[in-house]
């Protein structure tokens, strides 16, 4: 079972998410809370497999909760999926930089919500399709120039570049394997190698690096 914590300041939203997720055979909601402080406390106490966080909450917002639960300074990070009504580039960038494994809009629909939970649990990441490419392009400063990005510690191989480009288009590990005729384990091996070379913590950061550095245009 995938154990999920829900944090949202709107009770109706929490109830709706709980109904959707509890109806799945492989997902169990272990807690739902209404503010960021409770989210951090409960998450550290229960150690859910995935934390589903709203951004605008009292106490601590979802971006700060994400940083405290999944940020680069966290020794044993939790998986976080941010869900919000606010389609703002800065929110997505901050959420992913703070360690989020996914970012969804609340109107994405139940199927995408469920898939984002499952993707986070298995180590993949999912961003709402309608914002993926636009947001990643925004990260690179698509107003005509690229941001300065440190070069990889080692050059990427041709196959690693293929995998990176596919990840930057929002493909899951399974879809990358199907497109490039690679096994799932080989895709994961390439991504792990790239993470080390470019200093990324997850495949979403790899995708953002690809756009910022000009690997994907």
């Amino acid at each position: 079972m995938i154990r999920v914590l829900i944090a949202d300041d709107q009770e109706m939203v929490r109830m709706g998410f709980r109904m959707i997720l509890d109806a799945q055979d492989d997902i169990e909601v272990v807690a739902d809370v209404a503010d960021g402080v409770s989210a951090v406390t409960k998450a550290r106490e229960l150690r859910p497999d995935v934390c589903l966080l709203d951004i605008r909450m009292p106490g601590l917002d979802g971006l700060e909760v994400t940083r405290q639960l999944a940020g680069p300074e966290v020794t044993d990070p939790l998986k976080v999926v941010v869900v919000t009504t606010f389609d703002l580039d800065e929110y997505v960038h901050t959420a992913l930089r703070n360690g989020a494994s996914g970012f969804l809009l609340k109107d994405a629909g139940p199927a995408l919500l469920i898939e984002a939970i499952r993707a986070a649990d298995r180590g993949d990441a999912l961003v709402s399709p309608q914002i993926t490419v636009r947001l990643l392009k925004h990260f690179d400063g698509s107003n005509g120039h690229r941001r300065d990005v440190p070069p990889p510690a080692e050059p990427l191989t041709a196959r690693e570049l293929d995998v990176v480009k596919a990840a930057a288009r929002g493909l899951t590990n399974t879809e990358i394997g199907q497109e490039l005729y690679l096994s799932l384990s080989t895709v994961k091996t390439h991504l792990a190698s790239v993470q080390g070379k470019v200093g990324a913590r997850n495949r979403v950061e790899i995708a953002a690096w690809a756009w910022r550095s000009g690997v994907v245009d």
Side-chain angles (χ1 to χ4, degrees), residues 7-8 10 13 17 52-57 62-63 81-89 91-92 95 102-108 113 128 130-131 135:
D8 194 294
Q10 298 182 49
V13 172
F17 284 167
L52 196 61
L53 306 180
D54 187 22
I55 286 184
R56 295 193 175 180
M57 294 187 291
L63 299 175
V81 174
V82 174
V83 185
T84 182
T85 55
F86 303 100
D87 183 9
L88 298 178
D89 294 350
Y91 283 172
V92 185
F103 191 102
L104 297 179
L105 300 179
K106 286 182 179 177
D107 62 1
L113 174 67
S128 286
Q130 66 265 44
I131 59 177
L135 289 168

Side-chain angles (χ1 to χ4, degrees), residues 88-166:
L88 298 178
D89 294 350
E90 62 198 74
Y91 283 172
V92 185
H93 192 187
T94 302
L96 300 180
R97 187 177 64 231
N98 286 359
S101 296
F103 191 102
L104 297 179
L105 300 179
K106 286 182 179 177
D107 62 1
L112 204 60
L113 174 67
I114 294 165
E115 178 53 31
I117 295 291
R118 290 172 176 157
D121 179 62
R122 64 177 179 258
D124 271 347
L126 190 151
V127 178
S128 286
Q130 66 265 44
I131 59 177
T132 300
V133 172
R134 177 177 59 79
L135 289 168
L136 291 173
K137 283 183 178 179
H138 180 78
F139 294 168
D140 73 9
S142 53
N143 54 1
H145 64 276
R146 300 285 178 182
R147 294 181 182 177
D148 292 332
V149 179
E154 299 177 35
L156 273 61
T157 67
R159 210 50 168 159
E160 286 171 349
L161 284 171
D162 290 340
V163 171
V164 166
K165 290 175 182 178

Side-chain angles (χ1 to χ4, degrees), residues 184-197:
L184 185 58
S185 62
T186 300
V187 173
K188 291 181 177 179
T189 297
H190 284 316
L191 288 173
S193 175
V194 173
Q195 280 182 222
K197 290 181 178 181

